[in-house]
Each structure stands twice: as structure tokens, then as C-alpha cells.
Amino acid sequence: MSTGSGAASAPAPDGHDDPTAHNPATPRKTSMFASLKVRNYRLFFLGQVVSNIGTWMQRIAQDWLVLSLTGSSAAVGITTALQFLPMLLFGLYGGVLVDRLRKRPTLLATQSAMALTALALAVLTLSGHVQVWHVYVAAFAMGLATVMDNPARQSFVSELVGRDQLQNAVSLNSANFQSARLVGPAVAGLMITGVGTGWAFLANGLSFVAPLSCLLLMRARELHTVQRAPRGKGQLREGLHYVAGRPELIWTIVLVGFIGTFGFNFPVFLSAFADDVFDAGAGAYSLFNTLMAVGSLAGALLAARRGTSRLRVLIAAALGFGALEIVSATAPALWLFALLMVPIGVFSMTVNVTANTSIQMSTDPAMRGRVMALYMMVFLGGSPIGAPVVGWVTDTYGARVGFAAGGAVAATAALVVGLVLARVGNLRLSVGWHRGHPQVRFVPRERREALAPAA
């Protein structure tokens, strides 16, 4: 894998580039499961399947436990905020460390820390001593581990499969996570109603045995070695300057920041709809998450078939995601609201995979830890700001207003970023017909002017 100063990275767009059609690799289609032919990635994938099921079980149980202890959507928002607050505070420093350290030992340490946190919360809950502040502390501790776990795990994928299969591997990771989302919430719902939330926490703690074992079984000689960044001053500033000089990076991060902060607060939205709007309990909350996972899985598999990642797809998906949230907020019946979770899942996963892949493939490998840390800090770290705000809006004005407001922010951000990227790429809006159908798209200004009839 190239570790040069930028030969493998997409350059910042100039007057002739189209940042909305960003395509760092040669356009191609690929087998949906191509990356699974790589032994190390196959082990990584299998370990994550088990761990992700446990993670989703804990998410559902944690949200419902807080709601049961407090009766407040704002408290659920605070829990979410505390889990992502460390990423907001320390995410960039985590990225600097990840660029310096070997990824596999780093993941062994972070996954072990998360396992111990889940087991501690299980003991407190099963013993009947759990209080809401215990959940807050556990959520914050999980967040501290993810400060390094997230950028290490994201950047480790390129070491497992190499650059050529990165798009496919990132998409399969997302499909993996969403497949677990089909199983985890359903099992968590059964556990919560049958034996209690503590058993879901225990299952999550034990599930970390799988990824830890798979990491240990990997063959180090088959990894695509990336040159680690040496210790030095100014590495954090260097990472920020690197991103600031590339519009296709900075504006992608801005967009996912708005969406992650205000549009992806599903624990607040869906628990409020299940409990307050439809009065249907934990079973409905689990159903909403499961149906959203069906859509997300479909979106991830569709992304796995695409050989490249385009920013125009990101803008369109973000706009569709925001519009669907607004429509869902007005759904009069539980069954209709539940069905709308499927397309919301498709569009949310398209946003997630396209943004992640575009950023990784546009970034020099030696900078990837810092860039991915900034991406994850903005994407996940916005929750400490957005979740309490969205929770307050939901408690004060109702779940429908809160959900619609989150969708409106996402759609507005997509429109603004799309227009900015079009301006940066020297593009103009083109409206016409193609094979008998209306077509609206951005084209280079030079091309538009060349197509215009002579005076």
C-alpha cells in the first residue's frame, strides 16, 4: 500500500474537478462479498458479527433501563450524550495515537476495556443496585474506549484488505453491523420483557470474546503494512491542516456532523414514539429498530456492489433521509411509522457508507487515523450537543416535532453542502431530457457553455 505524501489521495478540486462526482478509484463493479476471500478480514468480520449483536442488545437495554428509571426522554438523550462526549473531547488526540500505534494491539486493548465495562453494568443491574448515574458512568466509560477503538477499527480495515477492496470491506462492515441489528434488538426485547435488562448487559460483555479471539488468530505477515507516524510535535495541527485543504473531506465531514448531531438521535426519537405516541412499550421500540436495520442492511449490501463512492450519492441520500424523517413524524398509525423505518434505514446507511468510504479513499494512509478520528469525532461527538437538545424538544413539544426538526436539519444541510461543493467544483445545474425522462444534474460550467447554441 502506498504510504507516500499524497499520490494515493484525491487532490483538492480545482476549476475542472467535480467534487460531487468524487471517484478516487477506477469505476468498477465488484462481487458483493469479495473481501471475505481474505482470511484476516474474514476473521475480523466473524468476530464483529458476534460482538455487534451484543452491542445492539446493550443499546436497547441501556435506553430502556434509563427510560424505566427516570421516565424522561431527556435522560435517554443525556446517556447518549455521555457515551459520545469523550469522542468530542478527545477524538482528535485518539487519532494521533492511532497513527503512531499498531492497530491490532490497540484493538485488543480497547475491546477488552469495553467488555469489562459491560460486565460491570451487568453485575450492578442483576444485583438490583443499579441507579441512573451508574448507567451514565458506564456510558462515559464506553465512550472513552471508543476514542481509540473507532479510528483504529476504521483504519485497520485497509490493512486487512488493501486499497483495491476497501469500498467493499467498508460496506460489508456496515452490513455486518446492520445484520446484528436485526438480531440484537429482537433478542434484547425478549430479554427485557422476560428476564430483565441485566442479562442483555451480561451477553454483551461475553460477546467480546469473539473479536478478541479473532484478532489473536490473524496472520500478521498477511496484513497490508502501513507506515506509522513517528512521534513529533504538531501532528494534531498537521491533521487539521490536511483536512482543511481538501474540500471533498471538509464538506463531507460538515454534512455528516449535522446529520449525526440532529438526525441520527434514534434512541431519543424511537423510544419516545414507542412510549408516548403509540403507547406500545419495549416491543414496539425493538420492532422500530429491527425494521430500520432491515433497510440499513439493504443499503449496505447495495453499497458493497458499487465499486466506487460518489459524493453526489451522499448529497442525494442525505436529502432523502431528511425528507423521510419529516414524513415519518406525521405518520398517524404505528404500522405506517414502522414501515417507514425501512427506507430511513436504506438512506441512513447510504449516507454512512458513502461518507466513510469517500473519506478513507481520499486520505493518505499515514494520515488516516487522524482524519478518521476527526470524522468520527464530528459524526458521533455531535451527540453530546444534539441528543440533549433533541431530547428537550421531544419532551417539550412532542416526539413528532422532535423527529421532524431532526429531518429538517439533515435536509437543509444536504442542500447547502451540495450547493457549496457544486460551486467549489465549478458546476452548474442542468435541467433537460434523457431517453424521454426529465433529468436534473450538475455539470461542469465549461460543458454547459459548450452545449449552448451559438448566438
Side-chain angles (χ1 to χ4, degrees):
M1 172 174 293
S2 170
T3 57
S5 60
S9 302
D14 57 26
H16 301 283
D17 292 329
D18 176 3
T20 67
H22 176 59
N23 184 6
T26 302
R28 66 188 186 282
K29 286 190 176 181
T30 185
S31 169
M32 187 175 290
F33 304 103
S35 298
L36 291 177
K37 297 176 182 178
V38 180
R39 180 183 181 275
N40 281 344
Y41 179 76
R42 191 163 59 246
L43 284 169
F44 180 81
F45 186 91
L46 292 173
Q48 290 300 307
V49 166
V50 178
S51 181
N52 285 336
I53 291 174
T55 296
W56 276 111
M57 291 174 64
Q58 172 140 340
R59 283 192 178 188
I60 301 299
Q62 176 179 280
D63 297 338
W64 202 256
L65 176 60
V66 171
L67 196 62
S68 300
L69 292 172
T70 65
S72 169
S73 293
V76 177
I78 291 171
T79 307
T80 303
L82 286 171
Q83 186 156 338
F84 297 121
L85 181 61
M87 181 64 71
L88 180 62
L89 297 177
F90 312 117
L92 291 176
Y93 296 98
V96 171
L97 292 175
V98 165
D99 277 338
R100 293 176 181 173
L101 301 173
R102 288 186 299 159
K103 307 300 186 296
R104 188 162 59 146
T106 299
L107 288 171
L108 286 169
T110 57
Q111 297 276 300
S112 297
M114 288 190 283
L116 292 174
T117 301
L119 292 173
L121 188 57
V123 170
L124 286 169
T125 307
L126 291 173
S127 65
H129 294 98
V130 70
Q131 298 178 37
V132 68
W133 71 267
H134 292 142
V135 185
Y136 288 165
V137 171
F140 188 78
M142 281 284 191
L144 284 174
T146 61
V147 166
M148 292 188 64
D149 184 80
N150 267 333
R153 189 158 32 85
Q154 297 286 341
S155 55
F156 188 49
V157 174
S158 64
E159 295 188 23
L160 292 170
V161 300
R163 179 180 173 83
D164 289 345
Q165 298 192 66
L166 182 59
Q167 160 88 10
N168 181 258
V170 170
S171 300
L172 289 181
N173 280 354
S174 299
N176 183 330
F177 191 66
Q178 299 307 323
S179 299
R181 192 176 180 182
L182 292 172
V183 179
V187 176
L190 292 174
M191 281 191 169
I192 292 170
T193 56
V195 294
T197 55
W199 293 99
F201 299 140
L202 178 61
N204 181 45
L206 296 177
S207 73
F208 283 96
V209 172
L212 290 171
S213 300
C214 289
L215 285 167
L216 291 171
L217 289 171
M218 289 180 184
R219 296 170 181 164
R221 66 180 182 276
E222 295 179 7
L223 294 174
H224 295 254
T225 305
V226 173
Q227 181 179 346
R228 286 179 282 157
R231 289 179 175 271
K233 294 182 179 181
Q235 290 180 321
L236 178 57
R237 185 172 60 253
E238 180 187 9
L240 294 174
H241 185 266
Y242 179 88
V243 172
R246 289 165 170 76
E248 76 277 14
L249 295 181
I250 188 69
W251 287 108
T252 298
I253 291 173
V254 167
L255 176 57
V256 298
F258 275 102
I259 294 176
T261 300
F262 298 103
F264 273 22
N265 282 291
F266 296 118
V268 177
F269 296 139
L270 301 188
S271 62
F273 266 84
D275 195 45
D276 299 332
V277 177
F278 299 118
D279 194 24
Y285 181 47
S286 178
L287 174 65
F288 296 157
N289 279 277
T290 300
L291 289 174
M292 187 178 293
V294 171
S296 298
L297 177 59
L301 291 176
L302 288 172
R305 277 196 70 83
R306 290 197 301 268
T308 58
S309 178
R310 295 177 179 271
L311 290 184
R312 69 178 68 170
V313 176
L314 173 62
I315 300 299
L319 185 60
F321 170 78
L324 280 167
E325 284 200 338
I326 296 171
V327 171
S328 298
T330 66
L334 186 150
W335 68 267
L336 180 58
F337 182 84
L339 286 179
L340 285 169
M341 293 302 101
V342 177
I344 284 179
V346 172
F347 279 84
S348 68
M349 187 49 53
T350 302
V351 170
N352 193 340
V353 171
T354 306
N356 188 311
T357 309
S358 294
I359 287 176
Q360 289 213 52
M361 296 188 74
S362 300
T363 304
D364 189 276
M367 300 291 294
R368 193 166 285 147
R370 278 163 283 183
V371 174
M372 291 308 297
L374 178 61
Y375 168 75
M376 299 305 297
M377 184 191 77
V378 173
F379 186 41
L380 301 179
S383 292
I385 301 170
V389 173
V390 168
W392 176 81
V393 171
T394 300
D395 281 342
T396 305
Y397 300 101
R400 295 187 185 277
V401 173
F403 204 19
V409 171
T412 302
L415 284 172
V416 172
V417 171
L419 291 173
V420 168
L421 286 174
R423 184 176 180 83
V424 169
N426 197 30
L427 305 178
R428 294 181 63 181
L429 186 67
S430 173
V431 181
W433 290 84
H434 180 67
R435 295 181 179 177
H437 299 284
Q439 185 180 63
V440 180
R441 59 177 178 164
F442 285 105
V443 298
R445 290 179 185 272
E446 292 81 356
R447 178 181 172 187
R448 176 72 172 268
E449 292 164 0
L451 292 176

